[in-house]
Amino acid sequence: MSTSTGTLSWAGITHTGRVRAQNQDNFYLDPSGRFLILADGMGGHAGGEVASLLTVSAVQQHLESLDWNDLPPAEELADDCVNSAVDALSTWVDTHEHQKDLGTTLLVWVRSGSKVILMSLGDSRIYLMRDSQLFQMTLDQVIESELRKRGASRTQAARSPGAAYLSRCVLAKKICPPDVMEVEIRTGDIWLLCSDGLTREVESAEIETILSECPAAGAQVCVEKLLKKALDHGGRDNVTVIAAAFQ
């Protein structure tokens, strides 16, 4: 799926991968390029797919209901998006008790005037390609990262029980605070939103090389190349990739 305006082109793609039976990733691209959403679900059989689908739909509906000439501040906007998702999951588990442990990561990218607002929960990532350099803009919200913030060494954190488990995500009945950031828009910026099905298979240097071709090749070609690279490297998880390029 790809779209463009006069200054922005964007595209997204998702794939089950070569190992998993279900695709528990979901994404949405606003037709006007105002916002992009990605979620990577978890929670047992079908639960992850439900969690990501409900979350993407709830955040989409919330963003579409806003006055885009007068958006709320970034922190308030992020909290409202998360609250909408939590409400959707809570309503679902009220009548699906066997899926009470479902949850999902969440990435939201919003254009607001001359800035981009980023929101993240979990270990899905947002990258920025600027001036031929790739920057990881979000931190993986996993136990290992939280321990390192509290002073643990890299080795201690990596060896701790449950180091790779998510420390924050979208859950039913519990609100986790998202990370929020605002970044000034620059011509030539290329944004990448992806699930960990990409980053576990493809090194940053390879991502950088493919994104460097985005202005000439187009966003759709870039997301297809990134997906192919992940599948060529094993495709052990669902893979979802969104690219947005300011021209």
Side-chain angles (χ1 to χ4, degrees), residues 78-232:
D79 288 344
D80 289 345
C81 285
V82 172
N83 290 341
S84 296
V86 171
D87 287 346
L89 297 195
S90 297
T91 299
W92 177 267
V93 300
D94 283 344
T95 54
H96 299 79
E97 179 66 20
H98 64 291
Q99 292 183 336
K100 64 181 180 180
D101 294 329
L102 55 72
T104 182
T105 72
L106 174 63
L107 298 177
V108 186
W109 178 103
V110 174
R111 278 201 295 170
S112 177
S114 63
K115 296 181 179 180
V116 167
I117 299 171
L118 312 178
M119 315 169 203
S120 68
L121 278 172
D123 60 355
S124 297
R125 294 180 182 176
I126 301 178
Y127 290 89
L128 170 61
M129 184 82 167
R130 174 175 285 179
D131 297 331
S132 301
Q133 286 188 288
L134 184 68
F135 301 93
Q136 182 179 330
M137 303 301 289
T138 55
L139 296 176
D140 295 347
Q141 295 167 9
V142 295
I143 298 298
E144 179 181 355
S145 298
E146 299 294 344
L147 289 174
R148 291 191 64 195
K149 286 181 184 177
R150 296 175 188 175
S153 69
R154 182 185 297 271
T155 301
Q156 289 172 328
R159 290 178 178 174
S160 66
Y165 291 173
L166 296 184
S167 56
R168 284 181 282 156
C169 58
V170 179
L171 298 165
K173 312 296 184 181
K174 180 180 179 181
I175 296 176
C176 297
D179 286 345
V180 186
M181 180 184 298
E182 292 183 272
V183 181
E184 290 287 342
I185 293 171
R186 289 190 192 175
T187 300
D189 282 351
I190 303 169
W191 290 93
L192 171 68
L193 288 69
C194 61
S195 62
D196 64 352
L198 176 72
T199 53
R200 289 184 179 182
E201 302 287 6
V202 185
E203 296 291 336
S204 295
E206 294 178 293
I207 294 175
E208 185 175 83
T209 297
I210 292 173
L211 287 183
S212 69
E213 303 167 356
C214 192
Q220 182 66 38
V221 172
C222 283
V223 297
E224 290 174 357
K225 285 187 174 182
L226 287 167
L227 171 60
K228 183 178 185 302
K229 186 71 70 172
L231 296 178
D232 288 347

